[in-house]
Amino acid sequence: MTYQDMPLDEATRTLVVNRPGKRRRRAPEAPKERGAISFADRKRRSVRIWLWIIQGLALVGLVFAGLGPLLWSAKASISDTQAIITDPMGIWFTPNEWSNLVRAWNGAEIGSSLRNTVIVALGSTLATLVISILAAYILSVLKPKWAPLLSGAILATLFLPGVISLVPLYLTVLDLPLFHISLLNTFWAVWLPSAASAFNVVVLKRFFDSVPREILEAAKIDGAGPLRVLWTIVLPLSRPIIGVVALLAAIGSWKDYLWPMLVLPSPGLQPVSVMLPTLASGPTPLAVKMAAVFLSLIIPVVLFLIFQKQFLRGVGTAGGIKG
């Protein structure tokens, strides 16, 4: 059928739609539903009011559960012991005992314990990054013949509780194989075991698998060796996930208690996670103990607030690289 045989309205409509250089207008897409409540129900006033009430209560509950303990410890750290005991949930506090922070830092030796904690966290994070990155790079990029077997062995260790390896690991620290030395009361006893993290190896390997192979092949053709490919290509592309692994390793070593207590029996080397239970059982006043707790809590919170953008960005890009 030609345009001449068509009715005037239909022919005109066809010519307008199929006119060269003229794009057909797309029908506006319906907005997607954001939840269990439809858009029609959201337009009702009663539904909106109840939705605002529920969201407000949920927000207040989350804020109270998240900031409540931190704010209470901050209040208790500058209150006297009598006020903490008589009115523990009071909003106002008098007098302001700012000296509790100084006594906790110097008298309770929270300062030296925090220094030990920083040393343990930095060493554990560095060891974790070195071992995990190298292992993931070997399994994902180099891919030797025994890579599938090693990957299966690493995945199998994720199903084993950490308590099972506690005794063999402690015996290894007491008598290091080949060297026959004891790592007890040294930071190496905390750094080295924390480096072997199967979870971090799996996470980094998954991210390395998403690196475009064309870039790696082009680098190899240009004469780049394995270490140069790792340093100049893989690591710059993997900075988000490396930041996440580093932050998780630092926080994990910061709050670890059982293993540092076993391998660091000397009080001068113990981190704050081991020192606080010892301080709680001593004759130190309650207000000074609460000041020590607050000082040990505020540092990881500030650390997360500073690096929260890198942390969330790394979690969002953990599944692949955006092109």
Side-chain angles (χ1 to χ4, degrees):
M1 179 181 294
T2 62
Y3 293 113
Q4 290 78 7
D5 299 332
M6 293 182 182
L8 182 59
D9 295 340
E10 185 176 353
T12 304
R13 189 183 308 111
T14 306
L15 286 173
V16 172
V17 172
N18 298 328
R19 182 186 300 173
K22 197 78 172 180
R23 292 185 177 181
R24 176 182 291 181
R25 292 183 179 181
R26 295 182 179 180
E29 297 181 356
K32 297 181 180 180
E33 298 288 346
R34 295 184 298 175
I37 303 176
S38 64
F39 284 100
D41 290 336
R42 289 177 183 272
K43 295 179 180 180
R44 297 169 56 186
R45 183 179 179 84
S46 59
V47 175
R48 291 202 308 268
I49 292 176
W50 279 109
L51 189 60
W52 291 339
I53 293 175
I54 294 174
Q55 290 176 348
L57 293 177
L59 178 61
V60 171
L62 291 175
V63 171
F64 181 78
L67 294 180
L70 184 62
L71 295 178
W72 187 88
S73 63
K75 167 189 171 298
S77 64
I78 54 177
S79 302
D80 58 352
T81 302
Q82 189 64 26
I84 297 175
I85 296 175
T86 57
D87 190 16
M89 301 303 296
I91 299 177
W92 307 106
F93 46 92
T94 52
N96 297 336
E97 297 290 340
W98 297 96
S99 60
N100 292 337
L101 299 174
V102 179
R103 294 173 61 188
W105 186 269
N106 297 326
E109 298 184 354
I110 190 69
S112 60
S113 299
L114 286 174
R115 184 191 65 239
N116 296 334
T117 306
V118 171
I119 295 174
V120 169
L122 291 179
S124 300
T125 302
L126 181 61
T128 299
L129 289 179
V130 171
I131 300 301
S132 300
I133 289 175
L134 291 178
Y137 180 72
I138 291 173
L139 297 176
S140 177
V141 179
L142 300 183
K143 292 184 178 179
K145 294 182 180 180
W146 41 268
L149 182 61
L150 182 58
S151 298
I154 292 175
L155 288 174
T157 59
L158 293 176
F159 297 94
L160 298 177
V163 181
I164 293 179
S165 60
L166 192 63
V167 174
L169 194 60
Y170 184 76
L171 295 177
T172 304
V173 169
L174 285 179
D175 186 11
L176 194 65
L178 300 179
F179 298 96
H180 298 290
I181 59 176
S182 175
L183 298 179
L184 206 64
N185 265 331
T186 63
F187 290 122
W188 290 102
V190 184
W191 294 342
L192 296 181
S194 63
S197 174
F199 174 78
N200 293 330
V201 173
V202 172
V203 171
L204 288 171
K205 179 183 179 300
R206 182 186 174 189
F207 194 93
F208 290 171
D209 290 339
S210 64
V211 176
R213 297 307 179 203
E214 295 81 4
I215 301 178
L216 303 179
E217 294 298 332
K220 293 178 182 178
I221 292 175
D222 292 340
L227 291 180
R228 186 175 180 182
V229 171
L230 172 64
W231 185 258
T232 61
I233 297 178
V234 177
L235 291 184
L237 292 176
S238 306
R239 281 182 296 180
I241 193 62
I242 291 176
V244 172
V245 172
L247 187 59
L248 292 178
I251 294 178
S253 61
W254 189 281
K255 64 181 182 180
D256 192 13
Y257 168 73
L258 182 59
W259 184 248
M261 182 191 66
L262 293 176
V263 299
L264 297 175
S266 176
L269 298 175
Q270 290 179 348
V272 68
S273 59
V274 180
M275 188 276 302
L276 284 178
T278 305
L279 182 66
S281 59
T284 308
L286 179 60
V288 178
K289 296 177 183 178
M290 295 308 305
V293 170
F294 174 71
L295 290 175
S296 63
L297 286 176
I298 195 62
I299 294 181
V301 172
V302 172
L303 184 67
F304 176 78
L305 292 178
I306 294 174
F307 297 102
Q308 62 175 337
K309 184 181 295 185
Q310 290 78 4
F311 179 80
L312 297 177
R313 184 186 304 169
V315 172
T317 57
I321 298 178
K322 297 181 179 180

